[in-house]
Amino acid sequence: MNITNDLVTEYINHRYRPLSSRLGQLRQIGEQDNVPIILKETESFLNMVLALKQPKKILEVGTAIGYSALYFAESCKDAEIYTIEKNEYAARSARHNITAAGLESRIHSLFGDGQEQIEKLRDQGIDGFDFVFIDAAKSHYKRFFDAAIALCEENALIISDNILQRAMTVSDQFDINGKHKTNIKKMREYVDYICSDKTLDTTLMSIGDGIAVSIYRGENG
Ligand SMILES: C[S@@+](CC[C@H](N)C(=O)[O-])C[C@H]1O[C@@H](n2cnc3c(N)ncnc32)[C@H](O)[C@@H]1O
């Protein structure tokens, strides 16, 4: 189920405008091929957050075909972006799309597991991220988060997408066939974790499929 009323979502999305024709086309391709790129309402929310934050160094876990990475690059003209994708085919498509957009000097597309690739960045001395977008395997958010936060500067924003998982995080009644028990349990643990961590100010929002916005207040909170 959608976590907001379908008519409300339709009303809001009717007013959505893509940032560029390139992004509009890529969204269409993603939707045709059933690639789970960020929802329009999530993107609209990010427009505001990115305009306020103006991040310079962005880390993303979950590239898919590169839609959100390209969106970050287009909306934050000075930002350098590191994006990680575990699926080889998707990573290859993302690189193709990033190169076609001429943005390969600003978007570093990394192939592999999110945590492992973040730890490789750490080993290379790459840190100072001020914006993190977590949008990959839902039951692994905690390990992506822990690896990423170690490379973040104070006041970094960490956005976790799909935290409500079509409301299944809220109640088991929405897991109709009981197929998502593990994912639900892990997501609930993750939400509790980021909401109780004293080094973070976390706000949960029912936008798109649910978003957590965490501000990292530094090691001493
Ligand atoms: C929701 S899609 C990402 C969509 C993308 N952020 C966008 O909006 O355009 C999630 C992606 O995470 C990838 N993924 C799954 N597990 C992963 C992992 N352990 N490390 C990195 N990527 C992973 C999947 O292959 C999938 O392409």
Side-chain angles (χ1 to χ4, degrees):
M1 93 160 208
N2 285 338
I3 60 172
T4 47
N5 181 291
D6 286 348
L7 279 178
V8 174
T9 305
E10 204 181 301
Y11 178 84
I12 294 171
N13 285 346
H14 186 65
R15 282 142 188 89
Y16 165 89
R17 295 284 170 272
L19 215 54
S20 66
S21 56
R22 180 172 52 223
L23 283 174
Q25 280 163 15
L26 196 54
R27 177 176 282 287
Q28 256 184 3
I29 292 169
E31 285 171 1
Q32 272 160 22
D33 295 349
N34 286 322
V35 181
I37 60 177
I38 46 169
L39 295 172
K40 288 176 181 169
E41 53 271 41
T42 307
E43 182 178 323
S44 298
F45 169 73
L46 288 175
N47 281 343
M48 177 195 64
V49 174
L50 293 170
L52 292 172
K53 177 70 180 166
Q54 301 193 5
K56 298 282 179 289
K57 207 163 176 184
I58 298 175
L59 176 62
E60 174 180 61
V61 187
T63 318
I65 58 171
Y67 179 86
S68 47
L70 285 163
Y71 161 75
F72 290 138
E74 286 197 22
S75 54
C76 312
K77 303 278 184 216
D78 299 327
E80 193 179 9
I81 296 137
Y82 290 79
T83 181
I84 306 170
E85 173 55 54
K86 192 181 170 185
N87 178 284
E88 196 176 350
Y89 178 75
R92 220 178 307 127
S93 306
R95 280 185 191 154
H96 170 82
N97 291 327
I98 291 164
T99 307
L103 284 165
E104 65 274 27
S105 60
R106 277 207 295 133
I107 306 178
H108 308 279
S109 164
L110 309 175
F111 166 56
D113 171 67
Q115 180 190 353
E116 286 173 18
Q117 291 302 311
I118 294 170
E119 286 169 356
K120 277 194 187 159
L121 292 177
R122 178 200 61 200
D123 296 345
Q124 292 163 41
I126 296 169
D127 56 13
F129 290 97
D130 53 1
F131 190 92
V132 177
F133 188 60
I134 302 180
D135 186 22
K138 308 305 163 199
S139 56
H140 294 261
Y141 272 23
K142 183 176 180 297
R143 62 186 188 89
F144 300 147
F145 183 93
D146 284 341
I149 203 85
L151 305 191
C152 281
E153 62 178 34
E154 231 171 87
N155 295 319
L157 272 189
I158 301 99
I159 301 220
S160 312
D161 199 12
N162 307 102
I163 54 142
L164 296 180
Q165 300 190 92
R166 288 170 279 122
M168 291 186 291
T169 309
V170 179
S171 169
D172 289 341
Q173 66 178 294
F174 299 114
D175 182 17
I176 309 291
N177 303 314
K179 279 187 184 165
H180 302 277
K181 281 198 169 79
T182 308
N183 270 3
I184 294 170
K185 180 173 174 287
K186 293 262 186 178
M187 187 56 86
R188 285 177 186 159
E189 286 167 5
Y190 176 70
V191 169
D192 288 343
Y193 179 68
I194 55 175
C195 287
S196 59
D197 187 325
K198 297 274 187 290
T199 67
L200 304 169
D201 288 330
T202 295
T203 306
L204 308 180
M205 294 183 205
S206 57
I207 294 171
D209 191 28
I211 298 175
V213 180
S214 306
I215 306 171
Y216 177 53
R217 294 302 186 195
E219 271 177 31
N220 301 318

